[in-house]
Amino acid sequence: MQKYSVFSLIKNALKGHKDWEVAWKDPAPKSEYDVIIIGGGGHGLATAYYLAKEHNITNVALVEKSWIGGGNVGRNTTILRSNYMHDENGLFYEKGMDLWRSMSQDLNFNVMYSPRGIINLAHSDAQMNAYSRRGNSMRLNGIDAVLLGREEVKKLVPMLDFSDNVRFPIFGGLMQPSGGTARHDAVAWGYARQADSMGVDIIQHCEVSGFDIANGKIKGIRTSKGNIKAKKVGLCVAGSTSVLAEMLNMTLPIETHLLQACVSEPIKPILDHVVTFGAGHFYCSQSDKGEMVMGGDLDGYNSYAQRGNLPTLQHVLTEGIAMFPFLSKLKMLRTWGGIMDMSMDGSPIIDKTHIDGLYLNCGWCYGGFKATPVSGWTFAHTIAQDRVHELNAGFSLSRFNTGHLIDEKGLGTKTWIS
Amino acid sequence: MLYIKCPYCGMRSQNEFAYGGDANVKRPELNEEVSDKIWDEFVYLRKSPRGKHIELWHHISGCRQWFKVQRDTTTHEIFRTAAINEDIK
């Protein structure tokens, strides 16, 4: 594989950029693989990469119904964080933060990792108390957390509305200084390029239409490019999980819902951090191009549409303007939507299933992007070793039955309001 | 914007309604022994189909009645709405 560096860039620039190798090949599927990963998003690509890198399993196919990186990994708001209270989440995502730190070097691909800090705003004394508790829980798990007062927030984010005449005054906030952003497309491309170089077949435009199962064991998959045999199959299909589950006669604790995001026209640097509204659901950061990147609530009813509806966008941006009044002056550049696999407790599922050799990775709700490396890392372990890693042991499918929920927000099973 | 025909008030915009989830989920009968498995299915497991979905909506800013809607989860086309005690086949 061609190594990317400033020297290779100069060399190729001088030759008119004619000698770049393809970043990943476009192979036809072989008849059999050791492992097939379904879903060419961030999690699937990361899983394929870590299967090859950490477990020396390279006879791997990754099948994607569309093109790689065209789903949620290309539709999110690129936020990285591990500011969770519960141990299962905190320790898991913090391992992810470790992987983010070295990702550009690891993949030889600039993912534009930017640990600019994430600030969750608090709008009442009670919320300050809750953040103080969450911050302490984070620090006990070795995650950086700083409780900010109103004046400290004002110093960091002066464009927030600090006037007295507001419905939700800012009392302070909880900051994770190591949180931040990364370029989402680069993450997908970087994983794809490395996985491909280690022997993974990335098969695009190959839609799964069924599974071959005999005696409770997976034998292979049926696709639009023919039947492919496999010893093990891993599902990483986010919002399409319930569709594949139906083919497997499984009913999962998941509903598919639509989440929108949007960006404004580019403006000069005005926001150095990722900031979230504490009295509703709105988050905002500024991209390197200068666009304000924004997101918030789900559309609020089951949806596979991959495009959103205006009432929710209006609601979300009303919160945005309450937080940053200057946003009302900006023009909207783009809005889009992606479909989320909303689990019933808001936490993911990475587990084996009742079918031997079939593994499940789903339930990311709208927090899947930050988990990309650690999801792939733990899922690769689960598949390769046929047992869960201690980091994803809590994310079991059976926890809904046994009552070991990881309900970070305490919202219960109304996935559409979470 | 969805336009939903409340069985009692007629066609209204989405803003007047609240969503209530899958209408085919049945609570286990009262005063009967319920196994963990059946309770788990009732509380947590959902089909979440791509395509036709029968769901509950609440006309919360109108007549405040709950009712059923059959809607396509990909196109958002609404095929029919019905009172809560009516069946949609």
Side-chain angles (χ1 to χ4, degrees):
Chain A
M1 187 183 63
Q2 202 174 21
K3 192 170 159 40
Y4 291 163
S5 68
V6 65
F7 304 109
S8 71
L9 185 64
I10 294 167
K11 199 174 108 194
N12 281 285
L14 294 173
K15 290 183 182 172
H17 294 297
K18 279 181 228 135
D19 294 338
W20 289 110
E21 289 173 14
V22 293
W24 52 87
K25 298 178 281 292
D26 189 19
K30 292 189 277 187
S31 63
E32 187 168 1
Y33 290 93
D34 290 340
V35 180
I36 294 175
I37 303 297
I38 302 171
H43 292 214
L45 290 162
T47 305
Y49 168 71
Y50 291 112
L51 275 172
K53 182 179 175 238
E54 303 282 341
H55 306 279
N56 292 319
I57 300 173
T58 55
N59 185 22
V60 176
L62 179 141
V63 299
E64 163 59 43
K65 72 175 170 184
S66 181
W67 65 87
I68 58 166
N72 293 347
V73 72
R75 294 167 187 256
N76 57 73
T77 47
T78 78
I79 297 165
L80 320 176
R81 59 188 178 87
S82 60
N83 52 358
Y84 286 86
M85 189 168 80
H86 290 302
D87 293 349
E88 293 91 341
N89 281 326
L91 296 170
F92 176 83
Y93 288 110
E94 187 57 14
K95 166 71 182 174
M97 296 303 276
D98 283 341
L99 292 168
W100 280 114
R101 282 175 200 115
S102 57
M103 189 183 286
S104 291
Q105 291 75 19
D106 210 26
L107 299 179
N108 179 228
F109 204 106
N110 184 5
V111 299
M112 296 166 70
Y113 167 65
S114 167
R116 59 184 69 180
I118 178 166
I119 300 169
N120 302 127
L121 296 179
H123 306 277
S124 66
D125 281 329
Q127 204 166 13
M128 285 299 282
N129 287 342
Y131 280 172
S132 153
R133 180 180 176 219
R134 172 139 69 103
N136 282 329
S137 300
M138 287 164 63
R139 291 171 78 133
L140 285 172
N141 281 332
I143 304 164
D144 55 330
V146 185
L147 195 66
L148 305 173
R150 179 179 161 96
E151 290 307 310
E152 290 162 299
V153 174
K154 199 171 184 174
K155 223 176 269 174
L156 293 172
V157 196
M159 294 308 290
L160 286 165
D161 191 349
F162 285 97
S163 58
D164 296 328
N165 190 26
V166 291
R167 173 69 183 82
F168 300 107
I170 294 162
F171 278 56
L174 181 65
M175 181 175 186
Q176 184 186 8
S178 67
T181 62
R183 171 85 199 280
H184 51 196
D185 300 313
V187 175
W189 300 335
Y191 275 124
R193 176 167 162 267
Q194 287 292 343
D196 175 87
S197 78
M198 289 188 284
V200 174
D201 281 355
I202 295 172
I203 303 160
Q204 302 182 73
H205 304 289
C206 177
E207 185 165 4
V208 172
S209 56
F211 295 84
D212 287 319
I213 296 160
N215 302 322
K217 189 173 175 7
I218 194 93
K219 297 292 178 190
I221 61 170
R222 296 173 207 166
T223 75
S224 54
K225 293 191 174 181
N227 294 356
I228 313 173
K229 286 187 199 145
K231 294 187 184 78
K232 293 177 177 180
V233 173
L235 265 54
C236 284
V237 296
S240 299
T241 302
S242 296
V243 177
L244 290 191
E246 197 187 348
M247 296 176 195
L248 291 158
N249 284 324
M250 287 169 79
T251 309
L252 298 172
I254 281 182
E255 278 184 1
T256 293
H257 285 266
L258 187 118
L259 181 67
Q260 299 189 67
C262 54
V263 294
S264 74
E265 61 185 324
I267 51 173
K268 287 188 174 178
I270 194 165
L271 179 61
D272 295 333
H273 306 87
V274 181
V275 184
T276 75
F277 188 50
H281 203 164
F282 174 83
Y283 41 89
C284 187
S285 64
Q286 190 171 20
S287 76
D288 292 350
K289 285 182 282 185
E291 302 151 338
M292 304 305 289
V293 185
M294 301 170 281
D297 280 312
L298 297 171
D299 264 24
Y301 40 86
N302 291 43
S303 175
Y304 284 87
Q306 284 197 310
R307 63 181 186 283
N309 231 330
L310 272 177
T312 303
L313 205 56
Q314 189 176 28
H315 167 74
V316 167
L317 291 170
T318 305
E319 295 173 47
I321 290 165
M323 204 167 108
F324 289 116
F326 76 89
L327 288 179
S328 69
K329 307 283 183 218
L330 301 185
K331 291 189 184 74
M332 188 71 77
L333 193 64
R334 275 196 313 282
T335 77
W336 65 93
I339 53 173
M340 310 290 124
D341 37 339
M342 301 300 296
S343 73
M344 292 290 157
D345 64 353
S347 296
I349 297 160
I350 309 177
D351 203 355
K352 299 162 66 168
T353 64
H354 69 284
I355 299 163
D356 201 13
L358 185 80
Y359 305 84
L360 191 60
N361 179 331
C362 63
W364 292 99
C365 301
Y366 31 63
F369 176 67
K370 64 180 176 294
T372 305
V374 68
S375 162
W377 194 87
T378 51
F379 197 42
H381 179 280
T382 306
I383 294 171
Q385 313 276 334
D386 193 38
R387 62 185 165 86
V388 295
H389 189 273
E390 61 179 22
L391 282 175
N392 65 313
F395 300 146
S396 68
L397 183 55
S398 66
R399 72 176 183 270
F400 298 93
N401 199 323
T402 60
H404 294 89
L405 303 186
I406 313 166
D407 198 347
E408 193 79 30
K409 288 185 186 167
L411 280 171
T413 59
K414 303 277 184 289
T415 56
W416 55 90
I417 57 170
S418 61
Chain B
M1 177 80 83
L2 299 180
Y3 288 95
I4 301 171
K5 189 178 171 189
C6 169
Y8 309 98
C9 309
M11 200 64 97
R12 300 295 176 91
S13 84
Q14 172 190 342
N15 293 338
E16 293 189 14
F17 298 91
Y19 184 65
D22 190 335
N24 287 329
V25 176
K26 288 266 187 300
R27 194 183 198 284
E29 291 297 320
L30 286 174
N31 305 321
E32 281 187 29
E33 194 67 28
V34 180
S35 68
D36 283 357
K37 186 174 174 293
I38 288 172
W39 190 250
D40 181 38
E41 284 169 7
F42 161 63
V43 178
Y44 298 115
L45 303 191
R46 298 290 180 268
K47 290 280 182 201
S48 188
R50 181 170 67 187
K52 285 185 179 175
H53 187 231
I54 299 170
E55 56 203 20
L56 297 173
W57 284 81
H58 186 191
H59 196 183
I60 194 159
S61 302
C63 64
R64 302 187 67 82
Q65 293 293 313
W66 284 90
F67 60 96
K68 290 179 184 170
V69 175
Q70 186 185 38
R71 180 181 59 91
D72 189 301
T73 57
T74 305
T75 64
H76 299 324
E77 181 181 356
I78 292 174
F79 302 102
R80 61 171 295 194
T81 57
I84 199 83
N85 57 354
E86 280 180 71
D87 279 334
I88 298 181
K89 287 277 183 295

